[in-house]
Amino acid sequence: MRIIYTDLLCIGAGLAGERVAIEAARAGFETICLSLVPARRSHSSAAQGGMQAALGNCIKGDGDCPDVHFQDTVKGSDWGCDQEVARIFADNAPLAIRQMDHWGVPWNRVVPGRSCYYKGGEKLEKEESEDKSGLITARDFGGTAKWRACYCSDGTGHAMLYTMDSVAVQHGVQVHDRTEALSLIHDGERCHGAVVRCLKTGELRAYISRATLIASGGFGRIYRASTNAVINEGGGQIIALDTGVVPLGNMEAVQFHPTGIVPTDILVTEGCRGDGGTLLDANLERFMPHYEPEKAELASRDVVSRRMQEHMAKGLGVKSPYGDHLWLDIRHLGREHIAAKLREVNEICKNFLGIDPAESLIPVRPTQHYSMGGVRTDKDGAVYGLKGLFSAGEAACWDMHGFNRLGGNSLAETVVAGMLVGRRVAGFLQEEDMKVDTALVRGELKKQQERIDILRSSTSGEAPFEVRNRMQDILMDYVGIFRNEKDLHLAVEKLQQVLLSAENLKLSSRGAGACPELSLGLRLSGMVRLALCVAFGALERRESRGSHARDDYPARNDRDWLVRTLAFWPGGRALPRLEYEPATKVVEIPPGERGYGGCEVISAES
């Protein structure tokens, strides 16, 4: 068992993790990033459509500014966000994107002159001014008043991550890939690092760090149908929850993206609809304008997903062996546009569906996509409950998204939060030292080794993959886009039974190193606890807000539920302990109508 010392340990090497690491390294601190995969294979690379920043360079973004971006973000969150954080985010997004430009991200640029674009299938014309030639341009995204999503074709995350990783290398950031964090080393008050397992050899290591960051991404793979990579199983959230003192925020806020392809659930970007793509039903008729006359396909993701689900429930979905779906039509955009600005969508359709999107309709359905909930932090990224522990990116509940994230705001969050939290971490490292009890480190190493030994030697119990499948089926059946009291009660009861099974597993392989079954076995009970945080939080929240839609409580209730859920899991409990805090202490925009979605609102003054 090796012990490795560093100033900053980043659990995760995607955009948020490496951006924080770069800031600390620039301040002169030794920094190590841990990653399940090589850094450039992190899930950040899968982001396609764009990064939101109010630059106002293109003609359709004329007049945009951080104030408008802030307003869109608050409305998009269904007033569930921390408005102070949303303001910090919107003000700093232009700085972060220009820095990424300086570092080498090849953003699409304004081309002066006349050109065509599509809105709702209708061909329109715009003219870009000569004085904006060569500046970063943008495309339209759902829930925004201006064109604001800056992009690199439809491989924006890929371009940003490769650039970020190159800058991290330049600043001496070390990446220890093919490693997984099993637990945090802490004394109940301060975090001292993590116990980590090498996925190649099975070796356990203790990383002792003066500051620790959780930036491990989302936990979408607790659902069966998800756009998330297979590595997104919530490892960072699990080790935080396991401390018993760190809460997870708003875990019931789970976003479904309107356009996962059928049957693989791989994402095709919102940029398809932003560039003028339309949604069609079984009769090949466009239906979104009937539900959302103003925004249509470019309402926020929670709204479009609900409208699609409602439309299919009326019998207007396309029947298939994989269940009902709808069509995404981008044929009218033309082959040249698709090949140039939607080339990843083009490749996905050809490689996974065997169709040419310039000629054929794309089968799509709402699919689990993003987790607004995560490790609860303050506005500086400092985690509640443990000093020296920070979090950023999708792993965190920072909380600028509230109950629904606008497309493009997640990529922007990774680099904006990464920049700001990185500065806070660097300041913390300049000010704070720590004393480490070696007995604490040895004790945590021993505890994790015993967990592994017990799991590998077990002669009774269920197979991890079977237990995981049951958990995923329960979430898909009872904790989906629409929720109700009866289903959520069933979900909680069934998941509690699954948790008992997850704590009594039997492996078919005894391998100590590269053994996916062992990795899942070590993580599975934590994944079920995350699922219970989602289901129990959804059961207790008796209202509809953003991506949390209750059939039996259809109104957004600002009088009783303008609060953020905090889920704690002290040892020995069968369910998380829920507490609540105000959604925001700073109110720039009082709760009101979003302008889309058509939800009844119970006013805070009523």
Side-chain angles (χ1 to χ4, degrees):
M1 297 179 182
R2 283 199 295 158
I3 297 179
I4 298 170
Y5 296 89
T6 185
D7 292 313
L8 172 62
L9 177 68
C10 297
I11 301 171
L15 282 171
E18 288 205 326
R19 185 62 191 87
V20 172
I22 288 168
E23 205 65 32
R26 292 171 75 180
F29 297 107
E30 183 180 4
T31 303
I32 296 174
C33 291
L34 306 177
S35 182
L36 294 170
V37 292
R40 296 189 181 194
R41 298 300 297 164
S42 298
H43 194 49
S44 298
S45 66
Q48 298 171 359
M51 167 185 166
Q52 296 267 5
L55 301 182
N57 292 334
C58 66
I59 191 64
K60 301 298 289 184
D62 191 38
D64 198 13
C65 66
D67 287 344
V68 181
H69 189 185
F70 168 74
Q71 292 168 13
D72 287 343
T73 299
V74 174
K75 290 179 181 178
S77 78
D78 217 355
W79 273 271
C81 73
D82 184 323
Q83 292 193 28
E84 184 178 12
V85 171
R87 167 57 71 184
I88 292 168
F89 163 73
D91 286 348
N92 282 279
L95 303 176
I97 197 169
R98 290 187 175 107
Q99 184 178 57
M100 293 300 294
D101 179 47
H102 175 71
W103 283 349
V105 174
W107 301 110
N108 281 55
R109 305 285 172 165
V110 173
V111 178
R114 292 182 179 274
S115 61
C116 295
Y117 70 99
Y118 286 86
K119 185 173 183 179
E122 181 183 357
K123 190 174 183 178
L124 303 170
E125 192 175 79
K126 60 183 175 68
E127 184 173 3
E128 301 288 356
S129 61
E130 188 68 41
D131 64 330
K132 298 292 182 68
S133 177
L135 297 181
I136 300 169
T137 192
R139 60 171 29 133
D140 203 4
F141 256 38
T144 63
K146 302 286 185 179
W147 288 25
R148 187 183 301 125
C150 309
Y151 62 99
C152 306
S153 184
D154 62 343
T156 312
H158 182 275
M160 291 174 67
L161 184 61
Y162 273 58
T163 301
M164 187 77 78
D165 191 53
S166 296
V167 175
V169 170
Q170 291 170 13
H171 286 89
V173 174
Q174 301 177 56
V175 176
H176 294 187
D177 60 21
R178 297 178 178 84
T179 57
E180 62 177 342
L182 298 182
S183 67
L184 294 174
I185 300 170
H186 69 96
D187 56 11
E189 296 181 359
R190 199 194 195 289
C191 183
H192 300 288
V195 171
V196 176
R197 177 173 171 267
C198 174
L199 292 173
K200 293 180 286 187
T201 65
E203 173 198 28
L204 284 189
R205 308 168 189 163
Y207 285 76
I208 307 301
S209 56
R210 294 196 291 131
T212 305
L213 175 82
I214 296 176
S216 53
F219 54 88
R221 280 291 162 178
I222 65 172
Y223 282 81
R224 175 167 27 84
S226 175
T227 66
N228 284 200
V230 294
I231 59 174
N232 285 28
E233 294 181 326
Q237 291 90 340
I238 291 168
I239 62 175
L241 190 65
D242 283 349
T243 64
V245 296
V246 172
L248 304 182
N250 282 348
M251 289 293 283
E252 64 268 36
V254 177
Q255 183 179 85
F256 286 73
H257 195 289
T259 53
I261 66 171
V262 179
T264 62
D265 296 303
I266 296 170
L267 177 72
V268 290
T269 175
E270 189 167 321
C272 291
R273 287 174 287 126
D275 287 3
T278 56
L279 292 168
L280 308 179
D281 61 20
N283 299 323
L284 302 186
E285 293 179 355
R286 190 172 169 227
F287 59 90
M288 277 304 299
H290 301 305
Y291 297 105
E292 301 292 335
E294 183 178 345
K295 289 287 189 180
E297 284 87 356
L298 288 176
S300 60
R301 289 175 177 177
D302 60 320
V303 171
V304 177
S305 292
R306 285 200 301 274
R307 298 309 194 192
M308 291 172 70
Q309 197 75 11
E310 289 169 354
H311 203 65
M312 288 188 284
K314 294 176 181 178
L316 292 165
V318 181
K319 303 299 179 183
S320 84
Y322 312 102
D324 288 3
H325 66 78
L326 296 162
W327 298 114
L328 174 63
D329 186 7
I330 61 172
R331 297 172 298 179
H332 51 282
L333 302 183
R335 190 175 299 281
E336 182 179 348
H337 179 100
I338 293 170
K341 295 187 177 179
L342 296 170
R343 63 173 184 256
E344 284 196 14
V345 171
N346 191 34
E347 291 173 1
I348 288 168
C349 289
K350 289 179 177 177
N351 293 334
F352 291 93
L353 296 174
I355 64 171
D356 180 352
E359 298 180 357
S360 302
L361 299 173
I362 306 169
V364 295
R365 65 184 170 200
T367 305
Q368 191 285 333
H369 176 62
Y370 189 84
S371 313
M372 277 74 72
V375 182
R376 180 69 184 125
T377 76
D378 65 16
K379 65 182 180 182
D380 295 321
V383 170
Y384 286 20
L386 281 181
K387 186 177 181 180
L389 183 62
F390 299 83
S391 187
E394 190 178 352
C397 179
W398 187 29
D399 170 27
M400 54 159 284
H401 300 304
F403 274 74
N404 178 67
R405 173 177 71 79
L406 294 183
N409 265 1
S410 61
L411 266 186
E413 182 193 18
T414 61
V415 292
V416 174
M419 176 177 69
L420 299 177
V421 175
R423 291 173 186 169
R424 177 68 186 90
V425 168
F428 176 86
L429 290 170
Q430 287 167 350
E431 299 165 2
E432 297 283 343
D433 273 315
M434 71 176 187
K435 294 181 180 179
V436 183
D437 184 349
T438 56
L440 182 70
V441 178
R442 289 198 310 272
E444 191 59 37
L445 278 165
K446 181 181 178 183
K447 177 182 175 182
Q448 296 307 318
Q449 187 61 59
E450 287 175 350
R451 278 184 67 207
I452 294 169
D453 293 342
I454 291 171
L455 185 57
R456 291 180 62 209
S457 62
S458 176
T459 58
S460 64
E462 295 185 63
F465 295 106
E466 292 177 3
V467 177
R468 183 199 63 185
N469 291 345
R470 290 215 309 278
M471 171 195 69
Q472 292 176 332
D473 288 342
I474 291 166
L475 288 174
M476 295 298 298
D477 291 343
Y478 303 116
V479 198
I481 293 175
F482 289 103
R483 303 164 179 182
N484 61 68
E485 194 96 4
K486 179 183 176 183
D487 285 352
L488 291 170
H489 266 299
L490 277 171
V492 170
E493 290 174 2
K494 290 175 179 290
L495 286 169
Q496 286 181 298
Q497 294 301 312
V498 173
L499 182 58
L500 295 176
S501 298
E503 293 171 344
N504 182 30
L505 300 171
K506 179 183 177 182
L507 305 184
S508 58
S509 169
R510 305 297 180 188
C515 179
E517 189 183 35
L518 174 58
S519 294
L520 177 61
L522 291 168
R523 195 178 297 124
L524 188 54
S525 64
M527 293 172 66
V528 181
R529 287 196 296 277
L530 295 185
L532 276 163
C533 287
V534 172
F536 190 53
L539 173 64
E540 294 298 300
R541 181 174 285 273
R542 292 174 171 86
E543 66 153 358
S544 292
R545 186 180 299 273
S547 294
H548 171 71
R550 290 281 298 257
D551 291 329
D552 45 356
Y553 295 96
R556 191 187 85 204
N557 187 344
D558 294 335
R559 181 191 63 206
D560 303 317
W561 286 102
L562 193 57
V563 293
R564 179 180 301 105
T565 306
L566 299 179
F568 297 81
W569 204 305
R573 290 182 63 94
L575 282 173
R577 185 184 84 243
L578 301 184
E579 296 180 6
Y580 298 93
E581 65 176 357
T584 183
K585 296 177 182 177
V586 176
V587 180
E588 284 193 51
I589 307 177
E593 297 286 346
R594 298 170 85 187
Y596 47 83
C599 180
E600 177 192 350
V601 176
I602 299 173
S603 157
E605 285 77 35
S606 65

